[in-house]
Amino acid sequence: MTARDQDGSRDGGPDAPRTGGGGREARRAERREAILESAMELIAERGYRRTTLAAVAERAGLTQQGLLHHFPTKELLLVGVLEARDRWDLASAAAASGSRTDTLAALVDYNATRPGIVRTYTVLSADSVTEDHPARAFFESRFRSVRASLAEALRAECGDTLPGGLTPERAAPLMVAVLDGLQLQWLLDPREVDMPAAFRDFLALLGRGEAESGGRAGEPGDGRADRPGGERAGGTGGGPASG
């Protein structure tokens, strides 16, 4: 018989999360991280709609009850995945060289290789506009933070006035709209919309970088780098400025 602890992990099972030193809180954090990585892997493989809590629990080496101890609903699990993705992208951005807008363009390149996560972000952000949605607070906070971060980046590179007379604070919401709008168009029609090239065209309008021609974008469902691990470490994310 397989023993299970209070959080529902399978003690000694081949998929059981590692539990090093550090006590109860450290083990809880490790289990939470294992759940998030498993969810991200499954979203890459199946898409978020076909990713069930039971499948995530099994992949993470937990019972479903154990998973619910950390994430009571699927919506909260998906928010956790997006929060983790933002942390990982910020870590990559901190290690990146080059200008801030170059780093942001590199993040758009990277997002073109992980359609499952981009699709999760796009659908969940749209659903969150309802007052009682469990992800609403996350997206409200996230958009405020992203606008402030983009305004800071634009001011650092362009000064207090951008081409056309806009301030960085007025341009930042427009950049968010471009980023998220391109993601939606790319998800719907990847053969016609080259997301990385289109974003570089937008940067060229702001006087940053050069416009591009030709397509490089990955297509939704192409099975590339949605998983955490090697792809994440090798990515050139520029912070959580888009889905």
Side-chain angles (χ1 to χ4, degrees):
M1 179 179 296
T2 302
R4 301 178 189 274
D5 68 10
Q6 291 180 341
D7 286 343
S9 62
R10 298 188 181 96
D11 293 342
D15 296 323
R18 292 188 301 272
T19 55
R24 185 173 180 178
E25 287 304 314
R27 290 194 297 272
R28 177 181 173 86
E30 288 177 2
R31 290 196 183 103
R32 184 180 175 91
E33 192 75 1
I35 291 169
L36 294 173
E37 292 193 2
S38 297
M40 190 169 288
E41 289 175 357
L42 287 166
I43 288 170
E45 296 168 11
R46 307 179 182 184
Y48 84 98
R49 290 196 185 277
R50 289 182 292 171
T51 296
T52 65
L53 293 177
V56 174
E58 182 178 4
R59 180 70 63 92
L62 301 171
T63 64
Q64 188 166 340
Q65 183 180 3
L67 184 148
L68 293 173
H69 178 75
H70 297 274
F71 298 98
T73 68
K74 184 176 179 180
E75 288 83 4
L76 291 176
L77 172 60
L78 294 175
V79 168
V81 167
L82 294 177
E83 288 174 333
R85 186 279 313 265
D86 284 351
R87 291 196 306 271
W88 295 332
D89 286 351
L90 281 171
S92 295
S97 58
S99 70
R100 298 188 188 188
T101 51
D102 285 344
T103 303
L104 183 57
L107 174 61
V108 177
D109 294 343
Y110 185 35
N111 278 342
T113 73
R114 49 182 183 177
I117 293 298
V118 173
R119 189 178 293 109
T120 300
Y121 168 89
T122 300
V123 174
L124 201 60
S125 63
D127 288 348
S128 73
V129 299
T130 56
E131 290 289 343
D132 58 348
H133 195 279
R136 180 169 180 124
F138 165 75
F139 280 103
E140 287 179 346
S141 175
R142 187 181 192 279
F143 277 121
R144 284 193 295 268
S145 176
V146 167
R147 288 192 297 268
S149 177
L150 290 176
E152 180 184 354
L154 289 171
R155 176 166 279 106
E157 295 194 25
C158 304
D160 292 333
T161 305
L162 279 67
L166 290 177
T167 64
E169 285 72 21
R170 290 180 62 189
L174 301 179
M175 183 173 281
V176 174
V178 168
L179 286 162
D180 286 5
L182 281 174
Q183 288 183 157
L184 176 60
Q185 294 180 67
W186 171 70
L187 288 168
L188 291 170
D189 198 356
R191 297 187 183 279
E192 291 295 324
V193 179
D194 184 335
M195 180 169 62
F199 183 67
R200 284 176 169 80
D201 289 342
F202 173 72
L203 290 180
L205 292 177
L206 297 180
R208 309 303 305 169
E210 298 180 357
E212 288 196 8
S213 60
R216 286 196 318 273
E219 297 183 8
D222 63 5
R224 292 185 291 165
D226 251 284
R227 300 188 183 191
E231 292 87 347
R232 187 179 74 229
T236 51
S242 67

